[in-house]
Amino acid sequence: KPLSFLASLVGLLICGCPSVNLTVFEPLPIEANGPYTHSGSGIPFLPSVGYFHRGRITQYDPKATDIGVGYNLNDMRYQVTVSVYVYPAPRVTSQGSPDNVVASTRALLFESHFETVKAEIVRLHPDAAVVSESNATRTENQMDYGGLKVIFEYQGQFAGQDQVLASHAYLFDYGKWLVKYRITYPKESEDRALPRIEDFMSKFTWAAGDGA
């Protein structure tokens, strides 16, 4: 990087690491009969979203700022699983650095974390191959939030069968929070699964939150 850019980074303080705890915390289930709201971001997790029903809610830190919520397609003919994770983004505190340097640092941290998300998928599925990778945009409350998307294919167990799976991963920058989606389904049912996934993505909103 240019020296001027690196020099500007001296005035930044980067705090925290998303979804990584310094102390050991055993994930805990969260019991919720009705809607569950992530207290930090205000994102609501309804019992059902379109064709999907909510499953397990898990907290990964003591204050439940890092959570994951599973949704399953309510269709016996084929299955799709969706997991949505919300957790703190790394904080970048400016100490006299220009706004553009702060923004650039945030973008670099975001891209670096997306590489970590991809690496974790490959770690769990060593034969995973990238099918496509692209930018993504999420519109909430008339505001656009930038993100990244990757689609993998790999052989794995799903619904009790060993088969070729397609797995999508999205990561979005939501202010103080990161929102991650993992969506998995059998490759052979892709034509039927994609419309259901699109329906979920449009109906699962962050509307109750503002990222603050």
Side-chain angles (χ1 to χ4, degrees), residues 81-87 110 113-115 117-118 121 132-138 145-152 167-173 178-185 194 197-202 206:
T81 63
V82 177
S83 297
V84 184
Y85 302 87
V86 183
Y87 48 93
F110 181 80
H113 183 59
F114 186 64
E115 292 301 317
V117 170
K118 291 163 54 182
I121 295 172
S132 67
E133 193 169 347
S134 60
N135 293 325
T137 303
R138 181 82 189 181
Y145 296 93
L148 295 169
K149 173 186 178 182
V150 63
I151 299 177
F152 284 97
S167 188
H168 302 200
Y170 293 82
L171 185 67
F172 291 100
D173 181 347
L178 296 177
V179 183
K180 180 175 69 176
Y181 295 76
R182 283 292 313 278
I183 304 169
T184 304
Y185 56 90
L194 289 180
I197 294 169
E198 291 174 5
D199 184 74
F200 178 91
M201 295 293 286
S202 66
W206 313 342

Side-chain angles (χ1 to χ4, degrees), residues 45-118:
F45 293 86
L46 302 180
S48 62
V49 177
Y51 299 93
F52 290 77
H53 286 178
R54 191 182 68 200
R56 185 183 179 92
I57 305 173
T58 305
Q59 68 180 77
Y60 297 100
D61 70 337
K63 296 183 178 180
T65 61
D66 182 347
I67 68 162
V69 182
Y71 283 89
N72 298 298
L73 181 64
N74 186 31
D75 193 321
M76 296 302 295
R77 296 168 299 172
Y78 59 100
Q79 296 190 20
V80 180
T81 63
V82 177
S83 297
V84 184
Y85 302 87
V86 183
Y87 48 93
R91 291 181 293 120
V92 180
T93 303
S94 174
Q95 296 182 341
S97 297
D99 289 345
N100 67 314
V101 174
V102 176
S104 296
T105 303
R106 280 179 54 88
L108 286 172
L109 290 172
F110 181 80
E111 292 169 6
S112 175
H113 183 59
F114 186 64
E115 292 301 317
T116 300
V117 170
K118 291 163 54 182

Side-chain angles (χ1 to χ4, degrees), residues 124-135:
L124 295 173
H125 307 281
D127 66 329
V130 174
V131 175
S132 67
E133 193 169 347
S134 60
N135 293 325

